[in-house]
């Protein structure tokens, strides 16, 4: 089975992903965000990522947290 992983081009341009180091969703943190440095990714099809407020624009993928940061500046 093919796995699709989308990396945030703002906070994770190198495509770094370590599942065992993600933050707990029980703490209210976003799934797929690393404890150590906050780099974000989404595992699943682009259509599902877009439903969760990811942005796909001009070939770039931007996670919801980075979108919020960009809109507040």
């Amino acid at each position: 089975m093919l796995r699709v992983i989308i990396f945030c081009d703002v906070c994770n341009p190198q495509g770094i992903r370590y599942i065992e180091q993600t933050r707990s969703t029980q703490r209210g943190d976003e799934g797929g965000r690393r404890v150590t440095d906050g780099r974000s990714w989404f595992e699943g099809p682009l259509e599902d990522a877009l439903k969760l407020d990811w942005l796909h624009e001009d070939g770039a993928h931007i996670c919801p947290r980075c979108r919020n940061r960009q809109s507040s500046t």
Side-chain angles (χ1 to χ4, degrees):
M1 177 165 84
L2 180 66
R3 294 172 69 183
V4 176
I5 301 169
I6 300 166
F7 299 98
C8 180
D9 290 315
V10 176
C11 67
N12 194 5
Q14 295 175 318
I16 297 172
R17 177 180 77 87
Y18 296 110
I19 298 247
E20 63 275 7
Q21 293 183 353
T22 59
R23 294 183 183 206
S24 168
T25 55
Q26 294 173 340
R27 289 179 33 198
D29 297 318
E30 296 176 34
R33 188 169 291 278
R34 288 178 47 188
V35 174
T36 53
D37 58 14
R39 294 179 181 166
S40 187
W41 74 89
F42 177 80
E43 184 170 348
L46 179 60
E47 296 80 20
D48 290 350
L50 295 175
K51 290 177 189 174
L52 296 173
D53 292 329
W54 277 70
L55 177 65
H56 182 233
E57 185 175 273
D58 297 327
H61 300 98
I62 304 173
C63 72
R65 191 172 188 182
C66 289
R67 284 185 67 185
N68 289 337
R69 280 192 216 139
Q70 289 178 344
S71 66
S72 65
T73 57

